Amino acid sequence: MNISFEIVPRSLEAFHEQYAYVQTLDKGINLINVPDIQRFETRSWELATRIDRGKYRFIPHFRAIDFKIESGELYRVIEQYQLDNVLLVTGDPPEGLKRAYYNTDVVDLIRAVRQRFPQLNIYAGFDPHRQGLQDECDYTQRKADAGATGFFSQPFYDHRLIEIYAEHMEGLETYIGISPITTLASKHYWEVKNKVKFPKDFRPDYDWNVEFANQVIASAVSNGWNVYFMPIRIDLNKYFARINLL
């Protein structure tokens, strides 16, 4: 089982602070993935030079709407930073007209990148909340057919839903998303923004989230899944001190 830790590059200082923390978790974490968020100055792929890639697999995110396939810009980035892994997602259009974006379909981008880089590890995302299960599974299969070999999910909060999706993802390198929610405001955000339906026993506190994460890790060991931590804004010591990393 692999465990990935997501570090959001709010600033280089914030990145290095979380990267230093990851290293204290010893051998529990073996991948680091970095989302690309336009309102921050640092691009995800630029952090390739700031991670020990002999110790961690580095997976930067790329938003399809930021790249025109014909321009070849994404190819140049992959070559310049000697990337072995990429995570390709659709991306949300910017608010207002602050910058340009492209109508690039992520499935088309996956296919183009796979043709250009046959040996590259290409990951894609899947979201168990945005649409029906069958539609999401069909969308995931389209990405796999285009050349994606693995998937990172949006966070789960219901173990029953994990088991259903894991069955459909069999044969693919799948990372089950875990993102602790410890405030009511954060819970409401996920409900409104990401259409998450929480189980009735959910509580936005550390105890519930730690117990859930440890259950997911135990299931991952038994079923050959991988785990993907999106800690966002929490007390890392308070949370990970009780997480059973392998």
Side-chain angles (χ1 to χ4, degrees):
M1 183 187 74
N2 295 316
I3 301 179
S4 185
F5 190 106
E6 178 173 285
I7 303 180
V8 178
R10 293 183 174 87
S11 67
L12 285 177
E13 181 181 2
F15 175 84
H16 284 297
E17 182 178 334
Q18 285 213 349
Y19 178 50
Y21 181 80
V22 169
Q23 294 176 81
T24 70
L25 298 176
D26 197 27
K27 297 181 180 180
I29 307 295
N30 47 19
L31 291 84
I32 292 177
N33 67 87
V34 179
D36 193 60
I37 301 175
Q38 287 297 321
R39 67 179 182 274
F40 302 140
E41 292 184 2
T42 304
R43 302 274 62 83
S44 63
W45 52 88
E46 294 172 347
L47 295 164
T49 60
R50 297 175 180 268
I51 287 177
D52 181 353
R53 293 166 68 183
K55 184 176 182 180
Y56 301 104
R57 286 175 61 197
F58 170 61
I59 308 180
H61 300 201
F62 293 86
R63 294 153 34 103
I65 66 170
D66 294 329
F67 295 93
K68 189 175 182 179
I69 295 176
E70 295 79 5
S71 73
E73 178 61 25
L74 178 53
Y75 306 152
R76 287 191 287 273
V77 170
I78 292 171
E79 291 168 347
Q80 177 182 350
Y81 289 91
Q82 300 180 335
L83 300 178
D84 302 310
N85 312 276
V86 297
L87 173 56
L88 305 182
V89 300
T90 298
D92 295 324
E95 295 181 6
L97 298 175
K98 295 181 180 179
R99 64 178 182 82
Y101 65 94
Y102 306 100
N103 292 319
T104 303
D105 185 281
V106 69
V107 176
D108 294 336
L109 185 62
I110 291 169
R111 184 176 296 107
V113 173
R114 170 58 66 215
Q115 291 175 350
R116 180 65 177 260
F117 301 99
Q119 304 305 315
L120 186 69
N121 293 315
I122 300 176
Y123 297 92
F126 79 92
D127 189 336
H129 312 295
R130 66 182 158 194
Q131 58 183 342
L133 187 150
Q134 188 60 55
D135 287 340
E136 187 63 22
C137 288
D138 289 346
Y139 190 30
T140 298
Q141 188 59 53
R142 287 176 56 210
K143 294 176 183 178
D145 292 343
T149 55
F151 290 84
F152 281 68
S153 81
Q154 283 292 311
F156 283 89
Y157 297 95
D158 189 326
H159 205 280
R160 296 165 299 180
L161 195 59
I162 293 176
E163 292 175 344
I164 292 171
Y165 271 96
E167 183 177 330
H168 286 273
M169 305 291 286
E170 189 173 355
L172 297 167
E173 186 182 349
T174 302
Y175 289 79
I176 302 299
I178 301 174
S179 184
I181 290 177
T182 58
T183 67
L184 277 175
S186 186
K187 176 177 181 287
H188 293 155
Y189 172 86
W190 282 97
E191 288 173 326
V192 174
K193 181 72 174 179
N194 295 299
K195 302 180 181 179
V196 174
K197 299 294 185 183
F198 290 91
K200 288 184 177 181
D201 70 343
F202 176 80
R203 300 190 316 273
D205 58 35
Y206 281 86
D207 287 342
W208 191 95
N209 283 277
V210 166
E211 182 179 358
F212 178 74
N214 285 331
Q215 289 175 351
V216 173
I217 291 172
S219 294
V221 172
S222 300
N223 294 286
W225 311 333
N226 304 290
V227 174
Y228 168 36
F229 279 105
M230 295 174 273
I232 310 181
R233 294 182 182 274
I234 61 167
D235 183 327
L236 295 177
N237 284 315
K238 185 175 180 179
Y239 180 71
F240 280 99
R242 298 165 57 192
I243 298 297
N244 299 325
L245 298 175
L246 303 180

